[in-house]
Amino acid sequence: MTMIQAINSALDVMMERDPDVVVMGEDVGYFGGVFRATAGLQKKYGKNRVFDTPITEIGIIGVAIGMGAYGLRPVPEIQFADYIYPALDQLVSEAARLRYRSAGEYIAPLTVRSPFGGGIFGGQTHSQSPEGIFTHVSGVKTVIPSTPYDAKGLLIAAIEDNDPVIFFEPKRIYNGPFDGHYDRPAKGWAGHPGAMVPQGHYRVPLGQARTVRQGEALTILCYGTMEHVVESTVADMGVDAEIIDLRTLIPLDIEAIERSVKKTGRCLIVHEATRTSGFGAELSALVQERCFYHLEAPIERVTGFDTPYPHSLEWAYFPGPVRIRKAIDKIMKD
Amino acid sequence: MSDQPASGAGDQGNGRNLPPLRLHVPEPQFRPGDTADFSSFEIPAAGEAPRPDEAAHPGTMQGLVYGLIRVLDDEGAAVGPWDPHLPAETLLKMLRAMALTRAFDARMFRAQRQGKTSFYMKSTGEEAVSIAAATALASDDMCFPSYRQQGILIARGWPIIDMMNQIYSNKGDRLKGRQLPIMYSARDASFFSISGNLTTQYPQAVGWAMASAARGDTRIAATWCGEGSTAEGDFHSACTFASVYRAPVILNIVNNQWAISSFSGFAGAEATTFAARALGYGIAGLRVDGNDALAVYAATRWAADRARANAGPTLIEHFTYRAEGHSTSDDPSAYRSADEGSHWPLGDPIARLKQHCIRLGIWDEERQAAMDKELAEQVRDAAREAEKNGILGHGLHHHPMETMFEDVFEDMPWHLREQQQQMLDEAKAAGL
């Protein structure tokens, strides 16, 4: 399956299993979503469970919270992560706090799906990676898959989870993995081990990282599209890196990170999001606090630059193989 | 030179002779030191507003959104088509709940002044808005209130000691001292958790109502916000959703004229009524004398029947007056005329319902006085009981500090467990 098919399959499986699951968002109903993630669901489950919404992100999330309070398990879609900001008040002040402020009387078991990340010439408002905004909020979980298998398993786990989950889908890899070599022909998911997706129900637990590659030389922490860019760059360089795909940022698999960095003594963090106060800063601080006496070199970060996402200069902005290679060289020199 | 009309922008001396543009910044009628005078206020007579069928098309309700539904006239008689003809028992029940709410407010305001809690907000003058509405709804209709509808809980018979425990943030507080006083949550009373963020409850109520409809349930939702909060984007989103899906929801706007220090003109009241906003959304709209318990009851009942018949949502503007300060942190004498409240032409909701009951011969001043005394004692006794569970600032009477970390998530993740342990270790090291 492609990642889109895997996401569609996760929604199908969960809607079949649980009558409380409802899907809502702009263009998700009759049309099946601008990325086809919800294709066929309305026809199969009816308009009471899969419906198009007005173009108001405040409304989509606010209404989903109310449906959650009733007892449903809504899966709202925000068409692009770049457009999640109007809903921030509902997500941060409401969904994230509801269980806490009501001491468990009310919960917000939402799974907010949203395509995110760059690499598609999306310009400023179709490329952003706002995960750091959500990892800073107590009470929400943040999940980012990098393969079709994980996308389905994590999405099922997110929908079954009783806490609000922000589920960011790297749209660059919806239809195939991306190694960062934008000048080469695009690859599909066919043949990739992560594209072997079971038809039925399975779960990839939230809070568990995936070790993509075992290695001894250094640890690379990454997620989403960057997992593939890192994997390809490491293979090209022939460096014995241990690559960890975090999959869930909150709750974070700290044990996997600690175990790896204590073994390798070096750590590189790679994400598309802008650098300052990005999630990489949190990762860097955690590694420094927990692995200080094992570190043989400063922790490096390869990230998007602290600018809005540019259109024409996309490949100068995107943290691609050239920049990752340079950072690995630097870490290994120390 | 150009086909477009000259703007004259930036060069007033160009001989175009256009008047300079002016920015209009609204100003309330009366400021501190002014004598409030509402004699020019046009108040439609009680009984005048027509009562359309509950299935009426919103487009036919123009008169109702600009008028004012009133049942009780100046003599306390119930007149006109909106008279809900309530039995004596219901009238007295409402009167009692309104009086209890006022007594509760008085006591809790005092408790804040005595330093027993950090904060309180009264609903004085607005008791009919929440109590008559709650009386007209079914007990399991879901309410999404703002912070000034404590009357809903009281009308639903919720124990006031539980509300006090929340206000004192003591060990009896079901919300474990996490919430600012008055931000109640009472699921068993179908009363949604109150948020400090204004109007967020509006789309949530619509979502709850949509879920109820999608499930083929018979329960409806109701929500409340102040007129100031209608300026929030959530209001617009909620009205759009309510209209699009014909959600079984009642959208209440409590227009008490003031949003802290800003008069209603800053929410758009100079140009239109708040009820009239319903028309643009294609929602049924009613504008009601919010100090007339019978009018509030009748309008709510109309809207509830409409919603239950799948005829869609209703927006109700309750025209009332915030008789006291915004909160214990507010001094209204700094921005409005001191005698405004006493001159408010729609009077006091309790006094008006009392007058009606006396007129019907089911009540009298002696019984009112006895009830007020009894309720004051009931509130005092409950407060004493609640204070046994502790008051704010008495550490021993709060929930244990480690509970701070619970309920952020269903299960506590490692980073919260670590922080919880760190806090306990620090407290222990400090000898606490």
Side-chain angles (χ1 to χ4, degrees), chain B residues 231-252:
Chain B
E232 294 281 6
D234 304 68
F235 177 83
H236 169 66
S237 288
C239 290
T240 303
F241 264 83
S243 169
V244 167
Y245 302 96
R246 295 185 198 163
V249 64
I250 304 174
L251 306 165
N252 293 285

Side-chain angles (χ1 to χ4, degrees), chain A residues 42-315:
Chain A
Q42 186 180 71
K43 198 169 178 200
K44 189 165 174 188
Y45 298 102
K47 290 196 283 188
N48 274 5
R49 294 188 61 200
V50 183
F51 56 90
D52 293 309
T53 64
I55 305 174
T56 157
E57 289 76 16
I58 298 178
I60 292 168
I61 302 301
V63 160
I65 292 169
M67 292 182 144
Y70 180 89
L72 301 189
R73 200 168 276 277
V75 189
E77 177 183 298
I78 300 293
Q79 202 161 76
F80 287 87
D82 314 65
Y83 304 134
I84 205 166
Y85 307 121
L88 271 189
D89 190 34
Q90 287 287 348
L91 286 169
V92 175
S93 311
E94 303 295 315
R97 315 275 198 245
L98 190 53
R99 176 192 296 278
Y100 190 74
R101 77 173 196 228
S102 70
E105 277 200 334
Y106 295 99
I107 61 170
L110 325 177
T111 301
V112 182
R113 290 183 42 248
S114 190
F116 104 129
I120 57 150
F121 278 110
Q124 294 188 25
T125 56
H126 298 79
S127 307
Q128 296 168 35
S129 299
E131 69 274 20
I133 292 174
F134 295 96
T135 57
H136 190 58
V137 175
S138 325
V140 288
K141 295 177 175 173
T142 305
V143 176
I144 302 170
S146 69
T147 66
Y149 179 89
D150 281 356
K152 180 171 174 181
L154 286 166
L155 183 53
I156 287 173
I159 294 170
E160 290 178 341
D161 196 282
N162 285 327
D163 292 315
V165 178
I166 310 289
F167 193 86
F168 281 135
E169 301 166 0
K171 58 188 167 303
R172 183 62 181 82
I173 56 173
Y174 265 158
N175 295 308
F178 176 61
D179 60 11
H181 292 281
Y182 55 91
D183 44 352
R184 296 179 190 166
K187 283 195 292 271
W189 278 109
H192 191 283
M196 301 288 289
V197 179
Q199 290 295 330
H201 177 275
Y202 68 94
R203 225 179 264 128
V204 173
L206 305 186
Q208 281 185 20
R210 174 174 69 100
T211 303
V212 178
R213 183 192 187 284
Q214 307 257 358
E216 303 293 329
L218 81 159
T219 299
I220 306 181
L221 306 177
C222 55
Y223 47 88
T225 303
M226 299 318 295
E227 185 271 287
H228 302 279
V229 182
V230 165
E231 199 180 349
S232 153
T233 308
V234 162
D236 286 351
M237 289 175 74
V239 61
D240 188 20
E242 181 146 304
I243 303 172
I244 297 182
D245 175 6
L246 298 174
R247 300 198 289 200
T248 304
L249 304 191
I250 302 286
L252 185 66
D253 189 347
I254 193 67
E255 284 171 25
I257 295 170
E258 243 182 283
R259 202 183 313 121
S260 178
V261 177
K262 282 179 178 167
K263 178 178 74 174
T264 64
R266 296 168 204 269
C267 181
L268 170 66
I269 296 156
V270 185
H271 61 57
E272 283 182 72
T274 51
R275 186 179 184 85
T276 302
S277 302
F279 192 64
E282 181 64 30
L283 290 172
S284 177
L286 286 168
V287 170
Q288 190 272 140
E289 286 161 7
R290 288 164 183 264
C291 309
F292 184 75
Y293 295 106
H294 295 81
L295 285 174
E296 292 168 40
I299 303 157
E300 287 289 324
R301 282 182 285 162
V302 175
T303 68
F305 296 116
D306 284 338
T307 70
Y309 206 108
H311 185 244
S312 67
L313 299 176
E314 169 140 67
W315 300 117

